[in-house]
Amino acid sequence: MARYQFRVEVKPSFLPEQSAPEQGVFSFSYTITITNVGEVAAQLVARYWTIIDATGLTEEVKGLGVVGHQPLLQPGQSFQYTSGCRLRTPSGTMQGSYFCVAEDGERFDAEIAPFLLEDGSRRVLH
């Protein structure tokens, strides 16, 4: 087991009721579960996201905490939240990292692997 490590799980969803495809607005939510799988309690301090739509348009998002929280997670403890974003295309990707500080002062990043944002109703079948 790593001394400092958060596991990040993501479940994205398309939000048709908040989208307007004819106007190039595609809304998505994503539910994130962050679990401290390390040996030391640590706090999520800040977030960094890279959001890329299907045309390659890239947006970077930085900020303190997540949805107004900077959770302190004991080993084995989880924190879950839901947030969202809008794209101009029916699909795209997100990835990023959380900046964390352990109880003993050690700083580390928790990577968020790339995940797909997709309006499944617009998928082309061959």
Side-chain angles (χ1 to χ4, degrees):
M1 178 187 311
R3 190 155 170 78
Y4 312 102
Q5 186 173 1
F6 280 3
R7 180 180 67 230
V8 181
E9 299 169 280
V10 183
K11 292 184 179 166
S13 298
F14 175 62
L15 301 174
E17 68 283 357
Q18 294 180 25
S19 298
E22 65 285 349
Q23 296 170 13
V25 177
F26 298 87
S27 296
F28 299 88
S29 71
Y30 48 91
T31 298
I32 306 263
T33 304
I34 305 158
T35 304
N36 184 347
V37 294
E39 300 172 350
V40 179
Q43 184 171 23
L44 187 158
V45 177
R47 69 190 182 284
Y48 171 77
W49 288 106
T50 301
I51 306 166
I52 305 171
D53 75 11
T55 67
L57 180 68
T58 301
E59 178 183 0
E60 292 185 351
V61 178
K62 300 176 187 178
L64 292 176
V66 290
V67 294
H69 298 276
Q70 292 180 314
L72 173 63
L73 301 177
Q74 300 297 322
Q77 190 175 19
S78 295
F79 179 81
Q80 186 175 80
Y81 73 94
T82 300
S83 191
C85 71
R86 288 185 171 176
L87 300 179
R88 294 181 187 155
T89 61
S91 66
T93 61
M94 286 183 69
Q95 66 184 55
S97 62
Y98 297 123
F99 171 69
C100 307
V101 178
E103 225 170 29
D104 62 8
E106 185 71 23
R107 298 167 182 223
F108 65 99
D109 288 324
E111 296 301 318
I112 307 162
F115 60 94
L116 184 63
L117 301 169
E118 183 176 53
D119 171 2
S121 71
R122 296 184 170 273
R123 193 175 301 153
V124 178
L125 302 176
H126 297 282

